[in-house]
Amino acid sequence: MSSPQPGTVLVTGASGFVAGHCIEELLRHGYAVRGTVRDPERAEKVAHLTAQAADLGGRLDFVAARLDTDEGWAEAVDGCTFVLHVASPNPPSVPRTEDEIVQPAVEGTLRVLRASAASDTVQRVVLTSSSLAVNAGRAEPEAGRHTEDDWSLIENCSPYEKSKTLAERAAWNFYHDLPDKSRLDLVTILPALVLGPLQRAEVNTSNAVVQRLLDRSMPAVPDLGFSLVDVRDIATAHRLAMESPQAPGNRYLCGGTYTSMLDMARVLAAEFGPAGFRVPTRRLPYWAMWLAARFDPALRLALGYVGRPERLSSQKAIDELGWTARPAARTLRETGQSLRDHHIVHARR
Ligand code: NAP
């Protein structure tokens, strides 16, 4: 581990989709970056980032740290000014027991915060939470949209929703209990469904939605919708949260335009249909989805969201951070193109 220069940012879970884009954003803005990986043997998971840092003439190194043990965290934060805590389990299906994901999410967050508070250098932690820490298990507001004042109802949450809500709550409790607030700032970013170009040929849980439309493994379209948001805009939100003097002590919801899956499918069909992709554009009735969900773990995960439009306000991030979100259709087209470029989806002629 080389000694970090001032302004160095620790990004946890460097091998992940969102974290990879955060690292790229930071390198492009001149920050030196240190990434954590849980398995240093799997160097191929971050090789694209090393290559990118070399291209940009940026400084990037990696250290090993896992969310489920204390080992490595003091060394990871040592000398860093900022920490973006992005790592958290984001599995494609419902886990066998909720502890598999709730424990690493909550305890990992506390490990990162404890190490940061104990260090002489860390000034601010930006935690990646989720819009699911705001609206899960809650009825949609009669009028208006969910905001940062809302919290999900734990008793109605799925294991993933619970992991995100409890991890963010634990972070704020830790922060409010700090004896000396001048030692450490906390900001949380709450993205909605994050899509966007892949940096390497592995599909994370959220981009699998686009993959399944393009490869037609979903022959009809569930009655779902998302405030989908571009990963590059989420990376920018993390940087702004790290830099903004106004951000400490705040949560920021970051969602884009609410788009039904049927409209997502139509955008993809228009873009990739001529190239031989047979994107489904028929609605999947609920009963058929319920039946299919018995055999398809990802559909099982989605059942709870059927017919529930997501109404979120990102106005606070826009007003206070100067954040902007690019159009959803552009993100969808570029996600699809990236899945093609990485040979994850293929035309069926
Ligand atoms: P991802 O690609 O699956 O990345 C998750 C990262 O967390 C990976 O680097 C993974 O390491 C690491 N990780 C998981 N369990 C770990 C453990 N026990 N110890 C150490 N590292 C561990 O997921 P993502 O979509 O980028 O999500 C990143 C963050 O954004 C998460 O906090 C997620 O909840 C949040 N978020 C995502 C979305 C979305 O739509 N994608 C929306 C809202 C919020 P390995 O590579 O070793 O598995």
Side-chain angles (χ1 to χ4, degrees):
M1 183 162 77
S2 55
S3 58
Q5 63 193 49
T8 295
V9 187
L10 180 76
V11 180
T12 67
S15 56
F17 172 59
V18 172
H21 280 274
C22 288
I23 291 174
E24 179 173 346
E25 167 85 3
L26 293 167
L27 290 171
R28 286 191 190 284
H29 283 80
Y31 288 96
V33 181
R34 178 180 287 163
T36 69
V37 288
R38 67 166 141 177
D39 184 359
E41 303 291 303
R42 303 282 312 275
E44 78 283 359
K45 286 184 137 194
V46 289
H48 58 288
L49 296 171
T50 306
Q52 199 165 54
D55 280 353
L56 294 168
R59 285 188 52 172
L60 172 66
D61 66 0
F62 297 102
V63 295
R66 302 176 55 97
L67 297 177
D68 41 17
T69 134
D70 286 339
E71 215 176 304
W73 288 109
E75 295 78 4
V77 301
D78 184 41
C80 294
T81 310
F82 304 105
V83 175
L84 305 190
H85 178 41
V86 188
S88 202
N90 192 2
S93 54
V94 183
R96 267 178 301 124
T97 66
E98 66 178 32
D99 280 351
E100 278 175 40
I101 62 173
V102 174
Q103 268 181 14
V106 175
E107 287 166 21
T109 297
L110 290 173
R111 287 192 165 94
V112 170
L113 283 165
R114 270 189 234 111
S116 301
S119 90
D120 291 329
T121 55
V122 178
Q123 293 169 7
R124 186 177 300 187
V125 175
V126 178
L127 169 72
T128 316
S129 181
S130 167
S131 59
L132 296 173
V134 155
N135 62 358
R138 296 180 67 101
E140 290 303 314
E142 285 288 315
R145 294 161 181 271
H146 281 306
T147 70
E148 292 82 357
D149 293 336
D150 299 315
W151 280 93
S152 294
L153 289 179
I154 286 295
E155 57 273 29
N156 298 339
C157 279
S158 71
Y160 177 70
E161 294 164 348
K162 201 167 183 176
S163 76
K164 297 308 291 178
T165 309
L166 292 180
E168 194 192 342
R169 279 228 184 260
W172 286 118
N173 288 341
F174 179 92
Y175 173 74
H176 293 306
D177 289 348
L178 276 177
D180 178 4
K181 298 270 180 318
S182 66
R183 295 264 306 160
L184 191 71
D185 291 331
L186 177 66
V187 188
T188 60
I189 294 292
L190 289 73
L193 187 81
V194 187
L195 303 179
L198 309 181
Q199 293 173 316
R200 63 188 174 95
E202 190 175 309
V203 186
N204 71 314
T205 300
S206 49
N207 278 318
V209 174
V210 179
Q211 177 193 6
R212 294 190 67 169
L213 289 171
L214 283 174
D215 69 13
R216 216 182 158 85
S217 54
M218 201 155 40
V221 186
D223 184 15
L224 299 171
F226 310 97
S227 302
L228 57 92
V229 61
D230 194 288
V231 68
R232 293 161 291 187
D233 296 332
I234 289 302
T236 303
H238 281 76
R239 179 180 56 77
L240 294 172
M242 192 183 97
E243 293 172 341
S244 157
Q246 210 179 338
N250 282 290
R251 311 172 83 194
Y252 292 102
L253 266 169
C254 296
T257 320
Y258 177 80
T259 313
S260 71
M261 254 182 104
L262 212 50
D263 283 341
M264 290 169 68
R266 288 182 185 128
V267 169
L268 295 169
E271 181 74 6
F272 300 106
F277 286 86
R278 292 171 41 232
V279 180
T281 49
R282 264 186 323 113
R283 194 187 292 279
L284 180 69
Y286 182 79
W287 64 265
M289 182 171 171
W290 183 84
L291 265 185
R294 300 180 63 178
F295 309 101
D296 181 334
L299 274 187
R300 202 149 55 237
L301 195 63
L303 265 184
Y305 299 98
V306 170
R308 265 182 46 192
E310 190 178 47
R311 280 192 275 163
L312 301 171
S313 169
S314 304
Q315 201 54 46
K316 184 174 166 191
I318 294 166
D319 293 345
E320 294 185 11
L321 300 180
W323 182 72
T324 53
R326 71 196 75 197
R330 187 171 141 204
T331 299
L332 275 167
R333 287 194 288 267
E334 291 176 8
T335 306
Q337 190 54 47
S338 174
L339 290 165
R340 286 185 76 183
D341 294 345
H342 284 284
H343 308 291
I344 289 166
V345 294
H346 305 276
R348 297 185 185 185
R349 293 230 177 245

mmCIF file of all heavy atoms in Angstrom, residues 14 20 23-24 27-28 33 43-62 199-200:
data_model
loop_
_atom_site.group_PDB
_atom_site.id
_atom_site.type_symbol
_atom_site.label_atom_id
_atom_site.label_comp_id
_atom_site.label_asym_id
_atom_site.label_seq_id
_atom_site.Cartn_x
_atom_site.Cartn_y
_atom_site.Cartn_z
ATOM 1 N N ALA A 14 -14.685 -1.794 -4.628
ATOM 2 C CA ALA A 14 -14.223 -1.261 -5.922
ATOM 3 C C ALA A 14 -14.644 -2.127 -7.106
ATOM 4 O O ALA A 14 -14.767 -1.635 -8.223
ATOM 5 C CB ALA A 14 -12.706 -1.113 -5.899
ATOM 6 N N GLY A 20 -17.233 1.296 -9.241
ATOM 7 C CA GLY A 20 -16.311 1.438 -10.380
ATOM 8 C C GLY A 20 -16.505 2.783 -11.055
ATOM 9 O O GLY A 20 -15.537 3.474 -11.408
ATOM 10 N N ILE A 23 -15.159 5.563 -8.897
ATOM 11 C CA ILE A 23 -13.690 5.651 -9.002
ATOM 12 C C ILE A 23 -13.310 6.389 -10.287
ATOM 13 O O ILE A 23 -12.456 7.283 -10.280
ATOM 14 C CB ILE A 23 -13.060 4.231 -8.922
ATOM 15 C CG1 ILE A 23 -13.239 3.685 -7.494
ATOM 16 C CG2 ILE A 23 -11.589 4.251 -9.335
ATOM 17 C CD1 ILE A 23 -12.799 2.250 -7.284
ATOM 18 N N GLU A 24 -13.977 6.053 -11.387
ATOM 19 C CA GLU A 24 -13.686 6.739 -12.658
ATOM 20 C C GLU A 24 -13.955 8.247 -12.524
ATOM 21 O O GLU A 24 -13.151 9.078 -12.945
ATOM 22 C CB GLU A 24 -14.544 6.139 -13.772
ATOM 23 C CG GLU A 24 -14.308 6.826 -15.093
ATOM 24 C CD GLU A 24 -15.002 6.153 -16.275
ATOM 25 O OE1 GLU A 24 -15.462 4.998 -16.125
ATOM 26 O OE2 GLU A 24 -15.078 6.797 -17.330
ATOM 27 N N LEU A 27 -11.168 9.866 -10.406
ATOM 28 C CA LEU A 27 -9.894 9.954 -11.138
ATOM 29 C C LEU A 27 -9.963 11.079 -12.168
ATOM 30 O O LEU A 27 -9.025 11.859 -12.327
ATOM 31 C CB LEU A 27 -9.578 8.619 -11.835
ATOM 32 C CG LEU A 27 -9.217 7.448 -10.923
ATOM 33 C CD1 LEU A 27 -9.157 6.139 -11.728
ATOM 34 C CD2 LEU A 27 -7.871 7.681 -10.218
ATOM 35 N N ARG A 28 -11.107 11.175 -12.855
ATOM 36 C CA ARG A 28 -11.272 12.237 -13.868
ATOM 37 C C ARG A 28 -11.228 13.624 -13.234
ATOM 38 O O ARG A 28 -10.937 14.605 -13.909
ATOM 39 C CB ARG A 28 -12.606 12.075 -14.613
ATOM 40 C CG ARG A 28 -12.605 10.943 -15.601
ATOM 41 C CD ARG A 28 -13.826 10.963 -16.515
ATOM 42 N NE ARG A 28 -13.887 9.736 -17.285
ATOM 43 C CZ ARG A 28 -13.121 9.470 -18.338
ATOM 44 N NH1 ARG A 28 -12.258 10.363 -18.763
ATOM 45 N NH2 ARG A 28 -13.220 8.314 -18.973
ATOM 46 N N VAL A 33 -7.174 7.787 -5.517
ATOM 47 C CA VAL A 33 -8.213 6.878 -5.015
ATOM 48 C C VAL A 33 -7.596 5.599 -4.482
ATOM 49 O O VAL A 33 -6.633 5.073 -5.056
ATOM 50 C CB VAL A 33 -9.224 6.515 -6.144
ATOM 51 C CG1 VAL A 33 -10.318 5.591 -5.618
ATOM 52 C CG2 VAL A 33 -9.839 7.768 -6.761
ATOM 53 N N ALA A 43 -7.997 -10.254 -8.934
ATOM 54 C CA ALA A 43 -7.506 -8.975 -9.479
ATOM 55 C C ALA A 43 -8.223 -8.610 -10.776
ATOM 56 O O ALA A 43 -8.328 -7.429 -11.121
ATOM 57 C CB ALA A 43 -6.003 -9.056 -9.713
ATOM 58 N N GLU A 44 -8.754 -9.634 -11.483
ATOM 59 C CA GLU A 44 -9.411 -9.351 -12.771
ATOM 60 C C GLU A 44 -10.667 -8.491 -12.578
ATOM 61 O O GLU A 44 -11.114 -7.818 -13.499
ATOM 62 C CB GLU A 44 -9.729 -10.650 -13.527
ATOM 63 C CG GLU A 44 -10.950 -11.447 -13.064
ATOM 64 C CD GLU A 44 -10.729 -12.264 -11.784
ATOM 65 O OE1 GLU A 44 -9.615 -12.239 -11.227
ATOM 66 O OE2 GLU A 44 -11.693 -12.951 -11.350
ATOM 67 N N LYS A 45 -11.210 -8.495 -11.348
ATOM 68 C CA LYS A 45 -12.428 -7.714 -11.112
ATOM 69 C C LYS A 45 -12.174 -6.208 -11.084
ATOM 70 O O LYS A 45 -13.114 -5.415 -11.159
ATOM 71 C CB LYS A 45 -13.063 -8.125 -9.774
ATOM 72 C CG LYS A 45 -13.756 -9.469 -9.824
ATOM 73 C CD LYS A 45 -14.431 -9.736 -8.508
ATOM 74 C CE LYS A 45 -15.801 -10.320 -8.693
ATOM 75 N NZ LYS A 45 -16.605 -10.296 -7.490
ATOM 76 N N VAL A 46 -10.907 -5.821 -10.911
ATOM 77 C CA VAL A 46 -10.591 -4.376 -10.876
ATOM 78 C C VAL A 46 -9.523 -3.990 -11.904
ATOM 79 O O VAL A 46 -9.070 -2.841 -11.919
ATOM 80 C CB VAL A 46 -10.165 -3.923 -9.449
ATOM 81 C CG1 VAL A 46 -11.350 -3.932 -8.505
ATOM 82 C CG2 VAL A 46 -9.033 -4.771 -8.893
ATOM 83 N N ALA A 47 -9.162 -4.940 -12.771
ATOM 84 C CA ALA A 47 -8.090 -4.668 -13.749
ATOM 85 C C ALA A 47 -8.466 -3.494 -14.659
ATOM 86 O O ALA A 47 -7.607 -2.681 -15.032
ATOM 87 C CB ALA A 47 -7.821 -5.919 -14.579
ATOM 88 N N HIS A 48 -9.770 -3.378 -15.003
ATOM 89 C CA HIS A 48 -10.215 -2.279 -15.882
ATOM 90 C C HIS A 48 -9.969 -0.920 -15.227
ATOM 91 O O HIS A 48 -9.695 0.061 -15.905
ATOM 92 C CB HIS A 48 -11.696 -2.447 -16.216
ATOM 93 C CG HIS A 48 -12.578 -2.481 -14.999
ATOM 94 N ND1 HIS A 48 -12.613 -3.548 -14.129
ATOM 95 C CD2 HIS A 48 -13.425 -1.558 -14.487
ATOM 96 C CE1 HIS A 48 -13.455 -3.288 -13.145
ATOM 97 N NE2 HIS A 48 -13.963 -2.087 -13.337
ATOM 98 N N LEU A 49 -10.050 -0.880 -13.885
ATOM 99 C CA LEU A 49 -9.858 0.397 -13.177
ATOM 100 C C LEU A 49 -8.376 0.779 -13.153
ATOM 101 O O LEU A 49 -8.024 1.945 -13.304
ATOM 102 C CB LEU A 49 -10.417 0.306 -11.760
ATOM 103 C CG LEU A 49 -11.932 0.085 -11.670
ATOM 104 C CD1 LEU A 49 -12.355 -0.198 -10.242
ATOM 105 C CD2 LEU A 49 -12.675 1.314 -12.212
ATOM 106 N N THR A 50 -7.516 -0.237 -12.983
ATOM 107 C CA THR A 50 -6.069 0.019 -13.011
ATOM 108 C C THR A 50 -5.683 0.574 -14.382
ATOM 109 O O THR A 50 -4.928 1.549 -14.488
ATOM 110 C CB THR A 50 -5.301 -1.292 -12.730
ATOM 111 O OG1 THR A 50 -5.801 -1.826 -11.497
ATOM 112 C CG2 THR A 50 -3.810 -1.077 -12.627
ATOM 113 N N ALA A 51 -6.259 -0.031 -15.431
ATOM 114 C CA ALA A 51 -5.945 0.426 -16.795
ATOM 115 C C ALA A 51 -6.437 1.862 -16.995
ATOM 116 O O ALA A 51 -5.743 2.695 -17.579
ATOM 117 C CB ALA A 51 -6.595 -0.509 -17.810
ATOM 118 N N GLN A 52 -7.614 2.141 -16.461
ATOM 119 C CA GLN A 52 -8.182 3.478 -16.620
ATOM 120 C C GLN A 52 -7.341 4.532 -15.890
ATOM 121 O O GLN A 52 -7.098 5.617 -16.417
ATOM 122 C CB GLN A 52 -9.573 3.454 -16.033
ATOM 123 C CG GLN A 52 -10.438 4.568 -16.503
ATOM 124 C CD GLN A 52 -11.853 4.234 -16.163
ATOM 125 O OE1 GLN A 52 -12.134 3.948 -14.992
ATOM 126 N NE2 GLN A 52 -12.716 4.255 -17.139
ATOM 127 N N ALA A 53 -6.911 4.179 -14.660
ATOM 128 C CA ALA A 53 -6.071 5.115 -13.895
ATOM 129 C C ALA A 53 -4.787 5.406 -14.668
ATOM 130 O O ALA A 53 -4.332 6.554 -14.728
ATOM 131 C CB ALA A 53 -5.762 4.536 -12.521
ATOM 132 N N ALA A 54 -4.222 4.365 -15.284
ATOM 133 C CA ALA A 54 -2.983 4.562 -16.054
ATOM 134 C C ALA A 54 -3.261 5.494 -17.238
ATOM 135 O O ALA A 54 -2.494 6.429 -17.493
ATOM 136 C CB ALA A 54 -2.446 3.216 -16.531
ATOM 137 N N ASP A 55 -4.382 5.285 -17.924
ATOM 138 C CA ASP A 55 -4.745 6.146 -19.071
ATOM 139 C C ASP A 55 -4.887 7.604 -18.649
ATOM 140 O O ASP A 55 -4.532 8.517 -19.378
ATOM 141 C CB ASP A 55 -6.110 5.741 -19.648
ATOM 142 C CG ASP A 55 -5.996 4.547 -20.555
ATOM 143 O OD1 ASP A 55 -4.849 4.138 -20.828
ATOM 144 O OD2 ASP A 55 -7.048 4.017 -20.965
ATOM 145 N N LEU A 56 -5.493 7.792 -17.455
ATOM 146 C CA LEU A 56 -5.789 9.156 -17.004
ATOM 147 C C LEU A 56 -4.612 9.774 -16.237
ATOM 148 O O LEU A 56 -4.680 10.925 -15.810
ATOM 149 C CB LEU A 56 -7.025 9.149 -16.085
ATOM 150 C CG LEU A 56 -8.355 8.761 -16.747
ATOM 151 C CD1 LEU A 56 -9.427 8.493 -15.695
ATOM 152 C CD2 LEU A 56 -8.807 9.871 -17.689
ATOM 153 N N GLY A 57 -3.559 8.985 -16.039
ATOM 154 C CA GLY A 57 -2.420 9.466 -15.246
ATOM 155 C C GLY A 57 -2.816 9.678 -13.795
ATOM 156 O O GLY A 57 -2.271 10.552 -13.117
ATOM 157 N N GLY A 58 -3.795 8.891 -13.306
ATOM 158 C CA GLY A 58 -4.291 9.062 -11.939
ATOM 159 C C GLY A 58 -3.659 8.067 -10.976
ATOM 160 O O GLY A 58 -3.020 7.107 -11.398
ATOM 161 N N ARG A 59 -3.844 8.320 -9.674
ATOM 162 C CA ARG A 59 -3.288 7.400 -8.659
ATOM 163 C C ARG A 59 -4.381 6.537 -8.080
ATOM 164 O O ARG A 59 -5.380 7.037 -7.559
ATOM 165 C CB ARG A 59 -2.613 8.199 -7.547
ATOM 166 C CG ARG A 59 -1.272 8.759 -8.001
ATOM 167 C CD ARG A 59 -0.529 9.381 -6.848
ATOM 168 N NE ARG A 59 -0.419 8.493 -5.686
ATOM 169 C CZ ARG A 59 0.310 8.760 -4.619
ATOM 170 N NH1 ARG A 59 1.005 9.862 -4.554
ATOM 171 N NH2 ARG A 59 0.342 7.917 -3.609
ATOM 172 N N LEU A 60 -4.197 5.234 -8.163
ATOM 173 C CA LEU A 60 -5.203 4.279 -7.671
ATOM 174 C C LEU A 60 -4.486 3.081 -7.100
ATOM 175 O O LEU A 60 -3.593 2.520 -7.744
ATOM 176 C CB LEU A 60 -6.092 3.845 -8.848
ATOM 177 C CG LEU A 60 -7.083 2.708 -8.589
ATOM 178 C CD1 LEU A 60 -8.153 3.129 -7.578
ATOM 179 C CD2 LEU A 60 -7.776 2.293 -9.894
ATOM 180 N N ASP A 61 -4.834 2.711 -5.863
ATOM 181 C CA ASP A 61 -4.341 1.435 -5.348
ATOM 182 C C ASP A 61 -5.484 0.710 -4.638
ATOM 183 O O ASP A 61 -6.573 1.256 -4.476
ATOM 184 C CB ASP A 61 -3.103 1.610 -4.449
ATOM 185 C CG ASP A 61 -3.390 2.364 -3.160
ATOM 186 O OD1 ASP A 61 -4.554 2.766 -2.948
ATOM 187 O OD2 ASP A 61 -2.466 2.556 -2.352
ATOM 188 N N PHE A 62 -5.227 -0.528 -4.263
ATOM 189 C CA PHE A 62 -6.281 -1.356 -3.671
ATOM 190 C C PHE A 62 -5.805 -1.967 -2.365
ATOM 191 O O PHE A 62 -4.616 -2.274 -2.219
ATOM 192 C CB PHE A 62 -6.685 -2.485 -4.632
ATOM 193 C CG PHE A 62 -7.262 -1.976 -5.908
ATOM 194 C CD1 PHE A 62 -6.494 -1.940 -7.070
ATOM 195 C CD2 PHE A 62 -8.564 -1.508 -5.961
ATOM 196 C CE1 PHE A 62 -7.014 -1.437 -8.251
ATOM 197 C CE2 PHE A 62 -9.104 -1.010 -7.130
ATOM 198 C CZ PHE A 62 -8.325 -0.974 -8.280
ATOM 199 N N GLN A 199 -18.438 -1.363 -17.042
ATOM 200 C CA GLN A 199 -17.002 -1.147 -17.239
ATOM 201 C C GLN A 199 -16.293 -2.470 -17.530
ATOM 202 O O GLN A 199 -15.152 -2.481 -17.978
ATOM 203 C CB GLN A 199 -16.391 -0.513 -15.993
ATOM 204 C CG GLN A 199 -16.894 0.910 -15.731
ATOM 205 C CD GLN A 199 -16.395 1.430 -14.411
ATOM 206 O OE1 GLN A 199 -16.429 0.710 -13.402
ATOM 207 N NE2 GLN A 199 -15.942 2.666 -14.383
ATOM 208 N N ARG A 200 -16.945 -3.575 -17.203
ATOM 209 C CA ARG A 200 -16.388 -4.905 -17.492
ATOM 210 C C ARG A 200 -17.551 -5.858 -17.728
ATOM 211 O O ARG A 200 -18.705 -5.515 -17.419
ATOM 212 C CB ARG A 200 -15.493 -5.399 -16.346
ATOM 213 C CG ARG A 200 -16.228 -5.585 -15.057
ATOM 214 C CD ARG A 200 -15.270 -5.880 -13.913
ATOM 215 N NE ARG A 200 -15.980 -5.916 -12.646
ATOM 216 C CZ ARG A 200 -16.437 -7.019 -12.072
ATOM 217 N NH1 ARG A 200 -16.248 -8.194 -12.631
ATOM 218 N NH2 ARG A 200 -17.071 -6.966 -10.920
#
